Amino acid sequence: MALDYFAPGVYVEEVDRGSRPIEGVSLSVAGFIGFTEDVRGDAELFKPIMITNWSQYLEYFGKEGSDGFTDFNAYLPFAVQGWFLNGGGRCWVISIGTKLPGTPAPSEEEIATKLKSSGGKPSISLNLKLPEADGDTPALPASTERITVVIEDSTPKPLPEDAPEDAEPPLNTGEYFKLKVRQGNRVLEEYEHLSMNPEVATAEGDYVVTMLEASEYITVADISSSGQFLSRRPSNGNYEVAPPPYIAPPERLNRDITGSRDERQGMQGLLEIDEVAMFAFPDLMKAYETGLINLEQVHGVMEMMLSLCENSFPGPPYRMAVLDAPPVKPSKSFDPVLPERQKPQDVAQWLSAFNRRSMFGALYYPWIKVANPRNQGLPIYVPPCGHMMGIWCRTDQNRGVFKAPANDTPRGVLGLAYETNMREQELLNPIGINCIRNFANYNRGYLVWGARTLVDPTNIQWRYISVRRLMSYIEKSIEIGTQWVVFEPNDSDLWGRVSRVVSNFLERLWREGALFGASPAEAFFVKCDASINTNETIMMGRLYIEIGVSPVRPAEFVIFRISQWAPNQ
């Protein structure tokens, strides 16, 4: 608004008097940590990368042409696939390695990129030429960008300038090829007139193995067996040369899991991404099964997961960790098809030993049976966390964050590690263990039959996942949607505008069925007036708004009271 007017005329001024609606935030973005088959493309080890579908996961964490799963049955790929199968959308994934810590390093032949001829027979193999390192551990290349080898057509060497005029050029048999070493868009090296013939005349070409000995980046081995040199020539194309896998010593595993907030690595780096509202670490169970960590260390990681969810200063905490119950005991001969079943009393005793309660955690039991593409589709038991978070996301989309993510079918589940009955669930449900049950007797299949947090059982107001997430949704939405209020004049006009904006947001939630009450007045209240904003608080630059909401709660126990009735005659 102009402060002074000097010349006569008509002045048009734009005045912002309208309220700014609060838009609800998304609490449907998940985070995953674990082992992957590979780390390719834009993905980096220990750093989170956004994934929007399974094909994108394969692009970043699967080898070329692979199914994306691992030979040692890491649980992360199953969890991410279960997330997408059950309706999950955007998620963030962190790879903490492509081999289990302490695994023997693979030989050069095992990790070599093998090129084939046009007839599909072996031709040459490629390996990265790495700098020397101390000990037996290979040094990793300085750059995370992969080396790519390009094979193209070539010709024999041209005649030298001093050749006789009647000299005939070498015959182009088609066996010659060009090899380029690229990194991104840069051509690092280029070799022409290459042949698979070890005795090729130097005036006509160069044997590929001999010529590539001078390369600073790759080594080449001839793996062709027999046949003419033309039929042994590698096919044209682009071939990615993968570096050796990162294999950490077992004592470093906990450090890799924790990561660094400043470097955006590991679990701490994952929670630096504001949109991640739920996360899981399925391969914590793989580390425990294989004896890399003991049960006390498992408890330490779970404690850290819950503590990170509870601490999100300066805003309100809004994240939840989905935990998995460990198997009865670790075993290096653990059978993924028929594991030692953990009975209800076992998981109840384990939770009592863990002895950590939080409204920002959830636990599901038992493990689920899914198809293992790496083993011809045979079943494997995996932790349920990824599938359950997918159901959370699906429920958010179909009904809303206020609907309990239960009484729903988990997709991709072939069976359960233990079929809990009602009497056994009476032991687990009161202590916050959500059961996945088989209702075959009712022809309803497998259903998620629990919706509780891991809060202290006596703290009834935060008992349900839907209530905790609805309150987080309201708090985070209001926090982000009222940033415009900061530094506005702190007067009754601002109080009215803030009250109006928040009331409109809560009324919208009430109309959607998220708040309990026959009218908005019964469902919520918003107070922002002189009774709580005194002269002293205004002098300190503070604006107080009190909000009360009545969230809907799930009908966990449905009780029909039936009696015989005889009407008066």
Side-chain angles (χ1 to χ4, degrees), residues 507-543:
E507 183 173 348
R508 189 167 71 247
L509 287 180
W510 169 73
R511 294 186 184 281
E512 292 173 357
L515 302 179
F516 179 83
S519 66
E522 295 180 5
F524 65 87
F525 73 84
V526 179
K527 183 179 181 181
C528 183
D529 55 27
S531 65
I532 57 174
N533 291 289
T534 63
N535 184 62
E536 288 77 10
T537 61
I538 294 174
M539 291 292 290
M540 289 187 291
R542 299 178 182 178
L543 170 63

Side-chain angles (χ1 to χ4, degrees), residues 352-371:
S352 176
F354 180 34
N355 199 28
R356 175 64 159 93
R357 289 290 172 174
S358 175
M359 69 179 73
F360 296 97
L363 175 67
Y364 287 89
Y365 167 85
W367 284 24
I368 56 177
K369 180 166 47 173
V370 300

Side-chain angles (χ1 to χ4, degrees), residues 37-357:
E37 183 188 31
D38 202 353
V39 181
R40 304 171 53 235
D42 295 332
E44 295 183 47
L45 206 62
F46 307 123
K47 292 194 174 182
I49 187 168
M50 187 177 71
I51 305 293
T52 59
N53 53 58
W54 181 246
S55 297
Q56 214 170 49
Y57 176 87
L58 296 178
E59 178 184 345
Y60 293 136
F61 296 110
K63 295 180 180 179
E64 286 191 88
S66 169
D67 53 25
F69 296 83
T70 67
D71 293 332
F72 57 95
N73 292 326
Y75 293 138
L76 175 68
F78 294 100
V80 175
Q81 187 182 61
W83 159 262
F84 289 120
L85 279 176
N86 283 277
R90 192 165 65 252
C91 68
W92 292 76
V93 177
I94 289 181
S95 173
I96 57 173
T98 57
K99 296 286 185 181
L100 290 174
T103 303
S107 65
E108 287 192 358
E109 182 180 355
E110 290 177 309
I111 63 175
T113 301
K114 296 179 175 61
L115 277 59
K116 294 184 178 180
S117 66
S118 58
K121 295 182 178 181
S123 178
I124 59 175
S125 66
L126 308 172
N127 283 96
L128 283 182
K129 185 177 287 186
L130 300 174
E132 294 184 1
D134 296 333
D136 298 330
T137 304
L140 294 178
S143 174
T144 58
E145 198 167 12
R146 292 283 177 94
I147 294 291
T148 302
V149 168
V150 182
I151 303 294
E152 297 176 349
D153 291 328
S154 186
T155 60
K157 293 180 180 179
L159 291 172
E161 294 181 357
D162 57 352
E165 294 183 0
D166 57 347
E168 294 185 3
L171 179 64
N172 187 359
T173 61
E175 67 182 85
Y176 300 98
F177 59 95
K178 179 193 301 184
L179 187 149
K180 295 180 182 179
V181 180
R182 301 174 62 97
Q183 189 172 43
N185 296 323
R186 295 186 301 125
V187 177
L188 304 177
E189 296 176 341
E190 186 171 337
Y191 301 91
E192 287 262 20
H193 320 299
L194 301 178
S195 170
M196 295 294 294
N197 182 3
E199 301 176 356
V200 63
T202 56
E204 298 180 4
D206 298 299
Y207 180 43
V208 60
V209 176
T210 304
M211 195 64 182
L212 267 293
E213 288 178 354
S215 172
E216 297 181 12
Y217 302 96
I218 62 171
T219 60
V220 177
D222 187 345
I223 57 174
S224 60
S225 54
S226 61
Q228 298 297 322
F229 304 122
L230 174 60
S231 65
R232 293 156 61 179
R233 173 196 184 282
S235 298
N236 292 354
N238 296 350
Y239 303 93
E240 189 179 84
V241 185
Y246 170 79
I247 302 177
E251 58 270 16
R252 187 183 167 84
L253 177 60
N254 193 68
R255 189 188 310 174
D256 289 341
I257 293 170
T258 305
S260 168
R261 188 180 298 271
D262 294 335
E263 297 178 3
R264 302 295 192 270
Q265 291 184 346
M267 192 177 296
Q268 295 194 59
L270 177 65
L271 297 191
E272 283 296 295
I273 300 170
D274 290 339
E275 69 173 3
V276 173
M278 59 182 100
F279 78 106
F281 183 12
D283 277 324
L284 180 62
M285 297 299 104
K286 176 59 66 176
Y288 176 61
E289 285 174 359
T290 53
L292 291 171
I293 57 177
N294 60 32
L295 194 59
E296 291 297 326
Q297 291 170 300
V298 170
H299 293 170
V301 174
M302 289 183 172
E303 158 64 28
M304 179 175 60
M305 294 172 68
L306 295 174
S307 295
L308 288 174
C309 290
E310 293 169 343
N311 298 321
S312 62
F313 182 81
Y318 61 96
R319 295 186 175 100
M320 292 194 68
V322 180
L323 308 181
D324 298 298
V328 176
K329 60 183 178 180
S331 171
K332 292 193 175 181
S333 61
F334 186 83
D335 186 350
V337 179
L338 295 171
E340 187 172 359
R341 297 195 302 178
Q342 186 173 32
K343 297 181 179 179
Q345 57 267 33
D346 296 324
V347 70
Q349 291 173 1
W350 163 76
L351 185 59
S352 176
F354 180 34
N355 199 28
R356 175 64 159 93
R357 289 290 172 174

